[in-house]
Amino acid sequence: MFCIEKLDKLLHDRDGFVSNNHLFDDYLKKFANQDIKRNKTRVYVAVQANDYVPKKIYGYFSILYE
């Protein structure tokens, strides 16, 4: 069963995420945490509810926060 969680670099395996679009991959791996720290966006990830840390990311979405 999947659940949605706020992205946390200590809990989620960003480096292991691979999609069909390298721009999406690069954003999650290189820029998402910077945008979160600057209060520009919120990023949420889909993970298995009972997964071990670091949790594999199956998908993500971001919401612009202003």
Side-chain angles (χ1 to χ4, degrees):
M1 177 174 205
F2 288 102
C3 65
I4 304 297
E5 300 177 350
K6 275 187 173 180
L7 177 64
D8 184 325
K9 66 181 181 179
L10 299 177
L11 298 179
H12 303 113
D13 180 18
R14 294 174 298 142
D15 290 332
F17 180 75
V18 178
S19 71
N20 291 330
N21 187 316
H22 70 84
L23 296 174
F24 293 143
D25 298 347
D26 288 346
Y27 176 76
L28 184 65
K29 295 172 185 177
K30 299 177 184 176
F31 304 109
N33 279 326
Q34 293 175 18
D35 286 350
I36 292 168
K37 287 178 186 176
R38 294 181 190 139
N39 286 323
K40 290 186 172 208
T41 190
R42 299 291 182 257
V43 178
Y44 297 90
V45 295
V47 297
Q48 289 285 344
N50 58 355
D51 204 359
Y52 296 102
V53 173
K55 296 180 179 183
K56 179 179 178 179
I57 298 172
Y58 291 89
Y60 78 92
F61 64 94
S62 61
I63 299 173
L64 183 61
Y65 182 78
E66 292 189 33

